[in-house]
């Protein structure tokens, strides 16, 4: 797709708006790259009264135009007003051309509840926030209500952030096989899996250094999250080494939450979960994605419905108090009938958390190389499935507490975490809402240093530190001491000690 922009315009924002209507599009500069590609022209002009955005979009041998004027007001600064004008014009023109109204309007970011949070913090009532999302951002009413409910739940969990709080993320980037839709940094070949013993040894050393720095800085670890990949690809003995090391470095009984991702049912055993329980794990993830055998086979999931049911029973019998199940709406070959059957069976199991993702394929996913036609503007049955999850969870006493969105999701829908009261995954909220620092260790891990400022009206100050992406690079990495010194410098620079 070609963009022709005239004015002081955030290019990335316009690209993300366009991808709502043209999912999967790439953005080039030359019309010669693909003469049949859609073209969007946008002119942004300012005068003494306000800001005007004019859009013309051409695609499929058709053209649509729209112009929107926003007067200056005390409510929005210049940057926000320009985004509103551009968003309104692009939504109007593209919507007319495609014949489609996006349910999230012009909200394109990862955190659709962020705007609701900002409005609530400005003193708006819940009712007025929902009205503002609908009128100013063109969010449809049920999504405006969802965003507001999630924002309120997040605020309740976050409370008053303390600058000495932090969380720890531990990366185990290995899986038994790779799902066709996956783009995470995870490794499945026998050669790469053979690196696990050496990887674990290196990881334990880095964990020692990381917790030592946390203690030196006088910080309090609120949550630990062991993610992947699939951490339960580790043997019971390897898991004992990892969890035992963490227990030797911090008092896990003081943690608010301790998560072990164990998403692949084919890696779960009673012995592994007994180890997890012994060392204080309080939350595990047992993820079916679907309870339809044909759908599981189509996405290369390599486990059966019976495997999931067995694994869930193991988790429940382990005594670990909080079980999460992940499901994906809009998978290839899925339908509303199949998905609603899956969801009803999951509800009958009564997991403490249910996370509903909308199918999204990234550039590195195998399914794209298979030639699959997976991008969908309207999403087929996905919207009906998403609505079903939100209605049924409400009826069953679950609350939406966590939400994020990704580019190129089917139907441009959201990912939502639902929880029974008092069982919400705190790490997810702390990480997504950037309320305190995340010390991350392992291949592909990203530490995120946060000086949380929204309570004083400012944006969080954030600095990220990256470990090498691949395990074989991580095994050669010697940057941990340097990273931890940079973290300490950040805390001292921001007077957080």
């Amino acid at each position: 797709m070609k963009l022709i922009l005239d004015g002081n315009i955030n290019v990335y924002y316009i690209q993300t708006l366009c991808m709502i209507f043209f999912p999967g599009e790439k953005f080039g500069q030359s019309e010669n790259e693909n003469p049949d590609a859609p073209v969007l022209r946008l002119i942004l002009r300012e005068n003494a009264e306000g800001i005007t955005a004019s859009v013309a979009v051409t695609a499929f041998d058709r053209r649509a135009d729209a112009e929107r004027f926003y007067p200056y007001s005390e409510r929005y600064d210049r940057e926000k007003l320009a985004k509103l004008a551009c968003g309104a014009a692009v939504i109007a023109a593209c919507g007319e051309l495609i014949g489609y109204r996006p349910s999230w309007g012009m909200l394109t970011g990862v955190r659709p509840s962020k705007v609701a949070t900002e409005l609530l913090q400005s003193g708006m009532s819940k009712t007025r926030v929902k009205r503002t999302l609908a009128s100013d951002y063109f969010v449809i009413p049920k999504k405006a209500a969802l965003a507001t409910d999630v924002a309120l739940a997040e605020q309740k969990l976050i409370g008053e952030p303390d600058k000495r709080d932090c969380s720890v993320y531990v990366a185990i980037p290995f899986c038994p096989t790779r799902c066709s839709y996956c783009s995470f940094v995870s490794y499945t070949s026998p050669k790469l899996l053979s690196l696990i013993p050496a990887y674990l040894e290196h990881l334990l050393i880095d964990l020692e250094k990381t917790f030592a720095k946390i203690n030196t800085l006088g910080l309090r670890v609120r949550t630990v999250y062991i993610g992947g990949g699939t951490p339960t690809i580790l043997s019971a003995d390897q898991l004992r080494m990892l969890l035992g090391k963490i227990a030797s470095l911090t008092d896990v009984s003081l943690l608010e939450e301790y998560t072990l991702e164990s998403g692949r049912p084919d890696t779960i055993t009673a012995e592994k979960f007994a180890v997890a329980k012994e060392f204080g794990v309080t939350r595990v993830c047992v993820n079916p994605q679907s309870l339809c055998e044909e759908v599981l086979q189509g996405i290369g999931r390599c486990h059966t419905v019976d495997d999931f049911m067995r694994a869930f029973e193991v988790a429940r019998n382990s005594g670990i108090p909080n079980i999460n199940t992940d499901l994906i709406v809009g998978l290839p070959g899925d339908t509303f009938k199949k998905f609603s059957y899956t969801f009803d069976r999951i509800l009958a199991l009564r997991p403490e958390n249910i996370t509903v993702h909308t199918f999204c394929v990234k550039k590195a996913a195998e399914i794209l190389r298979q030639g699959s036609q997976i991008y969908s503007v309207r999403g087929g049955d996905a919207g009906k499935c998403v609505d079903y999850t939100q209605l049924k969870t409400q009826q069953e006493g679950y609350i939406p507490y966590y939400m994020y969105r990704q580019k190129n999701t089917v139907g441009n829908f959201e990912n939502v975490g639902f929880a029974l009261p008092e069982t919400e995954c705190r790490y997810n909220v702390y990480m997504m809402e950037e309320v305190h620092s995340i010390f991350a260790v392992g291949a592909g891990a990203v530490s995120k240093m946060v000086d949380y400022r929204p309570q004083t009206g400012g944006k969080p100050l954030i600095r990220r530190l990256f470990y090498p992406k691949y395990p074989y690079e991580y095994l050669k990495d010697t940057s941990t001491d340097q990273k931890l010194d940079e973290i300490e410098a950040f805390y001292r620079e921001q007077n957080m000690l």
Side-chain angles (χ1 to χ4, degrees):
M1 185 172 190
K2 182 179 180 184
L3 300 181
I4 303 172
L5 308 180
D6 182 357
N8 186 6
I9 300 167
N10 183 322
V11 177
Y12 179 73
Y13 175 58
I14 304 304
Q15 289 178 344
T16 55
L17 284 171
C18 290
M19 289 173 71
I20 296 172
F21 300 92
F22 303 95
E25 277 289 338
K26 298 178 181 179
F27 295 90
Q29 299 299 317
S30 171
E31 292 186 4
N32 295 327
E33 291 179 9
N34 181 1
D36 297 323
V39 177
L40 184 137
R41 294 173 172 83
L42 191 157
I43 300 172
L44 188 68
R45 293 288 181 261
E46 302 181 43
N47 58 30
E49 285 74 39
I51 298 176
T52 301
S54 304
V55 169
V57 59
T58 305
F60 321 118
D61 296 323
R62 301 195 304 275
R63 171 173 167 154
D65 298 82
E67 183 173 284
R68 295 293 183 268
F69 169 75
Y70 278 67
Y72 295 121
S73 71
E74 295 180 357
R75 190 167 173 181
Y76 298 116
D77 60 23
R78 183 264 160 210
E79 181 181 358
K80 181 62 69 65
L81 205 64
K83 288 187 71 173
L84 289 172
C86 289
V90 171
I91 293 292
C94 291
E96 178 184 342
L97 187 76
I98 304 296
Y100 168 67
R101 179 189 177 186
S103 57
W104 283 101
M106 67 175 74
L107 295 185
T108 62
V110 172
R111 297 156 56 198
S113 61
K114 179 181 179 182
V115 175
T117 298
E118 292 172 349
L119 295 173
L120 288 167
Q121 289 178 341
S122 74
M124 279 192 187
S125 67
K126 178 180 176 179
T127 299
R128 190 178 173 195
V129 168
K130 290 188 287 187
R131 289 175 179 169
T132 300
L133 290 173
S135 63
D136 291 11
Y137 296 88
F138 307 126
V139 178
I140 66 173
K142 62 185 175 184
K143 300 301 183 187
L146 174 64
T148 306
D149 288 343
V150 169
L152 288 168
E154 288 174 337
Q155 284 188 327
K156 181 180 177 181
L157 286 173
I158 291 168
E160 294 289 336
D162 190 306
K163 61 185 179 180
R164 292 183 181 272
D165 289 340
C166 69
S167 290
V168 175
Y169 178 84
V170 184
I172 308 294
F174 301 93
C175 284
T177 61
R178 187 181 181 93
C179 302
S180 63
Y181 57 80
C182 184
S183 67
F184 285 119
V185 181
S186 55
Y187 302 92
T188 59
S189 72
K191 181 177 180 181
L192 288 170
L193 293 178
S194 70
L195 297 176
I196 289 178
Y199 178 88
L200 190 57
E201 181 179 348
H202 193 73
L203 183 72
L204 298 184
I205 294 171
D206 282 349
L207 280 170
E208 284 186 2
K209 295 178 178 179
T210 299
F211 276 97
K213 181 63 70 174
I214 289 171
N215 292 333
T216 297
L217 297 177
L219 306 182
R220 179 174 74 123
V221 180
R222 296 186 68 168
T223 70
V224 173
Y225 194 106
I226 303 174
T230 306
T232 43
I233 196 172
L234 300 179
S235 68
D237 286 342
Q238 290 170 333
L239 202 56
R240 181 176 293 277
M241 287 175 59
L242 174 60
L243 301 182
K245 173 59 71 173
I246 293 171
S248 73
L249 299 171
T250 190
D251 187 346
V252 297
S253 69
L254 299 178
L255 296 174
E256 294 178 357
E257 175 183 276
Y258 191 176
T259 296
L260 174 68
E261 274 196 4
S262 38
R264 287 286 293 265
D266 43 332
T267 66
I268 291 171
T269 67
E271 184 182 9
K272 292 179 186 180
F273 273 16
V275 172
K277 172 67 173 174
E278 177 186 350
F279 285 99
V281 168
T282 59
R283 182 175 182 271
V284 292
C285 306
V286 186
N287 302 334
Q289 313 301 14
S290 171
L291 294 181
C292 174
E293 299 287 7
E294 293 179 358
V295 173
L296 290 173
Q297 292 172 13
I299 60 175
R301 190 68 178 164
C302 293
H303 67 78
T304 66
V305 174
D306 285 345
D307 289 335
F308 165 74
M309 291 299 181
R310 175 199 59 78
F312 190 91
E313 184 177 8
V314 166
R316 186 58 82 203
N317 291 339
S318 72
I320 295 171
N322 193 331
I323 302 174
N324 172 75
T325 60
D326 277 8
L327 299 171
I328 302 180
V329 165
L331 286 168
D334 212 356
T335 63
F336 175 73
K337 183 178 180 179
K338 295 175 183 176
F339 181 82
S340 59
Y341 169 79
T342 286
F343 201 70
D344 288 345
R345 289 190 71 182
I346 293 297
L347 284 173
L349 295 173
R350 202 75 178 165
E352 284 68 30
N353 298 172
I354 304 174
T355 307
V356 180
H357 301 268
T358 301
F359 181 51
C360 172
V361 174
K362 301 291 185 66
K363 295 177 183 178
E366 176 63 29
I367 199 169
L368 288 181
R369 292 190 286 273
Q370 297 170 0
S372 301
Q373 298 298 313
I374 51 86
Y375 294 120
S376 172
V377 173
R378 292 173 180 81
D381 281 356
K384 190 176 179 182
C385 294
V386 167
D387 289 347
Y388 188 78
T389 66
Q390 295 170 11
L391 174 64
K392 293 290 287 188
T393 50
Q394 182 181 31
Q395 292 174 348
E396 295 295 326
Y398 290 81
I399 58 173
Y401 74 96
Y402 160 70
M403 175 169 58
Y404 69 101
R405 291 171 63 223
Q406 297 165 283
K407 292 181 292 185
N408 291 329
T409 54
V410 170
N412 194 42
F413 295 115
E414 63 276 6
N415 308 319
V416 181
F418 301 94
L420 295 173
E422 308 303 323
T423 71
E424 301 90 343
C425 178
R426 292 176 174 271
Y427 172 84
N428 283 340
V429 174
Y430 297 154
M431 179 271 298
M432 186 62 66
E433 295 305 310
E434 298 169 334
V435 298
H436 64 225
S437 297
I438 309 292
F439 287 73
V441 182
V446 182
S447 290
K448 182 161 59 174
M449 300 301 101
V450 178
D451 180 2
Y452 185 74
R453 301 180 177 190
Q455 298 290 358
T456 58
K459 294 181 179 180
L461 179 66
I462 297 171
R463 187 174 300 166
R464 293 176 173 83
L465 299 171
F466 299 81
Y467 272 105
K469 181 177 180 180
Y470 301 105
Y472 50 83
E473 292 178 329
Y474 174 71
L475 289 174
K476 301 175 184 177
D477 182 65
T478 59
S479 67
T480 297
D481 290 333
Q482 179 184 344
K483 286 182 173 63
L484 295 172
D485 287 345
E486 290 183 43
I487 289 171
E488 181 171 355
F490 176 87
Y491 272 82
R492 296 194 183 283
E493 288 168 7
Q494 307 312 317
N495 297 314
M496 295 172 66
L497 298 177

